[in-house]
Amino acid sequence: MNTFPTSADGLTSFQMWIGGRWCEAASEARFESIDPFTGRPWASVPDAAAEDVHAAVCAAEDAQRGAWGATNGFARARLMHRLADLLERDAAGLAAVETKDNGKLLREMQGQLEYLPAWLRYFAGVADKLQGEVIPSDRPNFMVYTRHEPVGVVGAIVPWNSPLMLLMWKLAPLLAAGCTLVVKPSEHTPVSALAFARLVDEAGFPPGVFNVVTGQSADVGRALVEHPGVRHVAFTGSPGVGVKVAQSAAAHFARTTLELGGKSAQLVFPDAGLEAAANGVIAGIFAATGQTCVAGSRLVVHRDVHDALLQRVRERTERIVLGDPSAAETEMGPLSNAAQFKTVSGFVERAVTDGARVVTGGCSAPDLGELFYRPTILTDVRPEMEVAREEIFGPVLSVLTFDTEEEAVELANSTEYGLGAGVWTADVRRAHRVAHELRAGNVWVNAYRVVAPNVPFGGTGASGWGRESGIDAVREYTVTKAVWIELSGATRDPFTLG
Ligand code: NAD
């Protein structure tokens, strides 16, 4: 699908999409996107600054006040279905772009891209049903009803691990609500949002509904969050940046949804099916090279099955095929960027110094490429250690042991995060009991890392606030207005509350 021009230096060249036209940054500066597998640049994109962000927010405001603001839910739904059709057509090409940008497995990105139209179709179904309510009044002379109006321009900041999926989780509900968007993709994966913009154009959305600003500096995201025209900031990223984003947004009374990191636990009880649990543990931490917000980075296992489970997990871990993320047989690709590689190796080195034992992995794989890190299992991990508390965002599993159900729950809840959790047990009572006790926005029982457009996703504590997906996600992008209609025409004492 990529028919973008290739420049003399061999790089595929992309422009920004602002106000329904392709453009360069005002400064004409550009930067390169690096393919993490080859370590070489493969694409070049505009390097925006605050003035480009301003242009994009103004275009989004114009669309909100103009053509898009006048569009009803039925028309929005039709456009969303058309965009879903185009995304189905081009899913394979966009998946290839994402793999080039972030080094994740092509088959994982293909699976994500093929599923994304479901978000557009689900929320298209909501767009024409955004009705208010007539509220029975306690006074006979009033009729009261509510309207759910679009919040306005949304500024979205998305990370590099699943760029288009995390963009779509925002875009589909906000389009249904009638909002417009300026998105700033990660500096590590700037390309797929630009490639996707072509489909938005082809679908026939009015200019300014969807705008993409690419930039290398954190100043670009900052300019977007601080822009007074942005009425809601939808941020996915780390807790450290999330806090700053929330503070900047609050300074001009913009609302926020924050999808932040995690230190999710997988709890394995002695009655669990160990084969399935081992497979779930692998899926939780080594899929996507551990670069997923819901990575099940802590294995909390009952002492009685510790050895048997660990043997299975270790055996499968040592058979994981590392290599070219585009090859069908590959199970783990490289880490996404050099900073991430440094972070992951640093965590493991400090864990070993703190007394953790490397069961397998614990080192890079330079023969495969500069950014490859072997899937790593650490035991002798104590709850207070850094690797048991902090997000690594890489293929590193910390193993902790428990004796009682209460202890398992306490261990699982002992971080400031609250994003995901896995419970492995054959006991249905325990499954529900533990699921209710866990401080996490998403709990999977005898499964891990499953998402769907109609199921709310989000965290608590340092994992953020607000929900993406699920029918209520559309409410993140609406403002409820109450309308009071006086029916009698009578006057009243003006000096009392009506
Ligand atoms: P990050 O927080 O470092 O960066 C996110 C984005 O914010 C980048 O595009 C960056 O340019 C921008 N930014 C930096 N400073 C800013 C500022 N002051 N104001 C506005 N924008 C600013 O995160 P990352 O490294 O890109 O992504 C990894 C993190 O994302 C992990 O913590 C991971 O758990 C989290 N994540 C969460 C979810 C979820 O749904 N909960 C999903 C995927 C990733």
Side-chain angles (χ1 to χ4, degrees), residues 161-399:
N161 60 327
S162 294
L164 280 180
M165 187 175 88
L166 297 169
L167 167 57
M168 184 58 75
W169 287 11
K170 298 158 181 56
L171 180 67
L174 76 84
L175 288 178
C179 298
T180 56
L181 177 69
V182 178
V183 59
K184 206 288 289 179
S186 166
E187 53 279 23
H188 300 296
T189 52
V191 180
S192 59
L194 296 171
F196 173 72
R198 297 203 315 169
L199 306 189
V200 178
D201 183 25
E202 191 180 341
F205 282 84
V209 172
F210 179 77
N211 308 274
V212 188
V213 179
T214 50
Q216 211 169 2
S217 159
D219 291 346
V220 186
R222 212 173 283 128
L224 180 60
V225 172
E226 289 173 358
H227 198 291
V230 170
R231 303 313 312 142
H232 181 109
V233 178
F235 175 80
T236 303
S238 62
V241 177
V243 166
K244 288 186 197 153
V245 163
Q247 286 166 343
S248 304
H252 61 99
F253 305 103
R255 304 190 327 194
T256 47
T257 36
L258 300 179
E259 296 289 354
L260 309 177
K263 191 71 196 176
S264 303
Q266 295 239 48
L267 282 58
V268 181
F269 289 92
D271 55 11
L274 290 192
E275 215 43 57
N279 195 59
V281 169
I282 299 281
I285 187 63
F286 298 132
T289 318
Q291 300 171 124
T292 147
C293 52
V294 290
S297 51
R298 291 181 298 152
L299 169 58
V300 179
V301 56
H302 192 277
R303 197 175 304 279
D304 290 353
V305 288
H306 174 277
D307 292 354
L309 181 73
L310 205 62
Q311 189 189 342
R312 284 177 164 83
V313 174
R314 177 186 181 162
E315 187 271 327
R316 180 66 184 91
T317 301
E318 288 175 347
R319 281 194 289 115
I320 290 176
V321 180
L322 275 68
D324 179 349
S326 300
E329 66 278 12
T330 302
E331 295 175 322
M332 248 181 70
L335 289 163
S336 186
N337 55 71
Q340 198 54 29
F341 181 88
K342 213 168 142 206
T343 303
V344 172
S345 40
F347 266 108
V348 174
E349 279 162 27
R350 291 191 296 280
V352 171
T353 309
D354 279 358
R357 190 169 67 83
V358 176
V359 172
T360 186
C363 58
S364 60
D367 46 318
L368 296 169
E370 276 181 26
L371 299 181
F372 279 88
Y373 199 86
R374 294 208 176 277
T376 298
I377 302 175
L378 301 174
T379 56
D380 296 349
V381 174
R382 299 183 307 282
E384 68 278 11
M385 282 165 64
E386 185 192 50
V387 278
R389 287 183 291 106
E390 289 188 22
E391 182 181 45
I392 300 174
F393 219 59
V396 181
L397 179 68
S398 298
V399 184

Side-chain angles (χ1 to χ4, degrees), residues 1 39 61 101 106 137 162 232 246 328 385 446 450 466 483:
M1 66 149 264
E61 283 182 304
D101 248 2
L106 183 59
S137 174
S162 294
H232 181 109
M385 282 165 64
N446 296 328
V450 193
V483 182

Side-chain angles (χ1 to χ4, degrees), residues 136-156:
S137 174
D138 59 352
R139 271 148 282 195
N141 61 330
F142 275 101
M143 180 190 156
V144 187
Y145 63 89
T146 56
R147 287 166 52 79
H148 299 293
E149 299 178 351
V151 66
V153 177
V154 177

Side-chain angles (χ1 to χ4, degrees), residues 124-142:
V126 179
D128 56 11
K129 298 171 193 68
L130 268 178
Q131 58 218 24
E133 284 177 315
V134 175
I135 300 179
S137 174
D138 59 352
R139 271 148 282 195
N141 61 330
F142 275 101

